Each structure stands twice: as structure tokens, then as C-alpha cells.
Amino acid sequence: MNHQAGFIAVIGRPNVGKSTLTNELIGQKLSITSHRPQTTRHRIHAIDTTDDYQMVFVDTPGMHMGNAKAINAYMNRAASSTINDVDIILWLVEVGKWTKEDARVLGHMRKAEVPVILCVNKIDKLKSNHEVLPFLKKIGEKYQPSALFPLSAFKKNDTNALRRLILKYLPEQENIFDADYITDRSEKFVVAEFIREKLMRHLEDELPYDLTVEIEQYELDGKMQRIAARILVEKNSQKNIVIGKKGEMLKLIGTEARQSLEDFLERKVFLKLWVKVSTGWSDDKRALLSLGYD
Ligand SMILES: Nc1nc2c(ncn2[C@@H]2O[C@H](COP(=O)(O)OP(=O)(O)OP(=O)(O)O)[C@@H](O)[C@H]2O)c(=O)[nH]1
Ligand SMILES: [Mg+2]
């Protein structure tokens, strides 16, 4: 077999485990994850290169019903436009759960012109593996993918087997990106995302949904990375939630974000966070553009 390389889209409704699986497949944390739907907002490439192949995974925002806000339209477009630009699609669903949003994704899959591997994720939640069979049957009645693959994104054996399956469909060609590339996004982008991940994870149900992170300062000071980031929220009440009682929430988020940034950047990090109210940013296309949403 000659060298193989290609783009592999990771598609599905929110919260099915697309970013978790992407990180597991490349063996590195790059794309942020949380138990909350709509964690991923931007398409991101996560690249795994070996001597034999280069897999360029395209993690996408979950496709959802959404409302009229500009950011929802942006997220759905980021996902649906990816479908036509790749060599393989991994379509993720969650075992035992079929929602209106999955049906919406199905509509897109019916139009796909490349191999679709339908991944039935989170099977570790089942008491026994054969409980997956009725679900596979139900899905099989709706759609015939190129391959049907039940897995748990948390299990190494499963992700290794999925990688081998992907190789059956990956085109023979030279690398698309330099072998040492891991993403198409800037370091600064990933840093802002890692901070947003901690916010998503800690703010639970009172999460100020429309929150974003802007990097204001990003400087190398000797061996230390100095980062100042501004958290934009919509309302004063949300600002209070993010800061928490006596500033405890913001402090906790800062500590955890700094630790994960030090792992990612492999250097010491000095992180300063502050919160600003910026009304209407998520619904204003111009504000989206100024924050780097294209
Ligand atoms: N039990 C179990 N949980 C999983 C598995 N894969 C992912 N999860 C969890 O599911 C939740 C959502 O995971 P994400 O990877 O953020 O999901 P996503 O599809 O990228 O979500 P969006 O970016 O919001 O569209 C997280 O709490 C994960 O830990 C799995 O195989 N088994
Ligand atoms: Mg995601």
C-alpha cells in the first residue's frame, strides 16, 4: 500500500462525543469537550501523521435545531459545509438515543457522496454489548452506511479498530500538511478554547450560554507564557455567575485553565482572566466577525 492521506469529517448532533473521539484518534487533547451540548463552536482540524498515513480529522460543531441567532446559523453551516469537502465522514450517534437533531443530520448524510462510517458511540454505558443490537437494527432501517461501527470513544481498543477501518477508505496520496502540523488553528485560538472549556464545565446549568473568550495579551517572557484573556458575557447577572462568590469561581477556572495550558504548551503559564459585559455579541454578525468567526 502506498502512502495514504485525507480529510475525515466528524459529524453529528451536539454532545454525541465528536470532540472526545477526535482527541482520542489523534492521541492528544486539542478539541474541547464537556457534558454540555454545543461545546464546539468552530471547525478545527486535528492531524495525525505517521510514516504510513496522514489523517486530517475535521471536528465540527454539533448540528442542532437552534434558533435565529447568528451564532447558531454559523455553527450549523460550519458542520454542513464540511460534508462536501472531505474524503470520509464519521457520523456519530449515541447508543439508544435517536433525536430530531439526529434526523436532521441523517438528511445531510443521505446527500453525502463519500463513504460514511456510522459510529454508534458510548456503548460503555450499556450493561452488555449485545444490548447494542436492537439500536443497530433500528438505525440500519433508516440508513445504510458504508460501515456501521459501535464503539466507546474512551476505549483504546475501539479507537484503534476505528483507525484501521478508516484506512480502508483513506485515499492513496502524499501528506496534505507538513508532518509536524497538528492543527490548522493558531496556538492562540486553542488557548482561548481551553479557557472556554473550563467555563463550560464549571458553570453547569446556570451557564451564561453566549459566552466567549478573547485573548488580549500573548507574550513569551523568558520561558513563561504570559496570557491575559477577557471573558465576554451578555448580561451583568452572567458576569456575577462567572466571577462567583468572592471571586472563587473565576479563580478555580483560572487555576484549572492554567494547568491544562501548561500541559498543552509545555511551558509555564501566567494567566490573567477578567470578565466583561458585551451585550448582543452572539446575535450580531459584525461582532462575530470581530471575534474571528468567519
Ligand atoms: N460514557 C461515555 N461518554 C462519552 C463518550 N464519548 C464522549 N462522552 C462524553 O459525552 C460528552 C460530550 O462529549 P463531546 O466530545 O464534548 O461531544 P461533542 O459531540 O463534541 O459535542 P458538541 O461539541 O457540543 O457538539 C462529554 O461529557 C464526554 O465525556 C463515550 O464513549 N462514553
Ligand atoms: Mg465538540
Side-chain angles (χ1 to χ4, degrees), residues 15 17-20 31-34 38-41 59-62:
N15 210 39
K18 297 177 295 299
S19 302
T20 304
S31 199
I32 66 167
T33 67
S34 88
Q38 298 180 38
T39 299
T40 305
R41 284 199 186 143
D59 185 20
T60 61

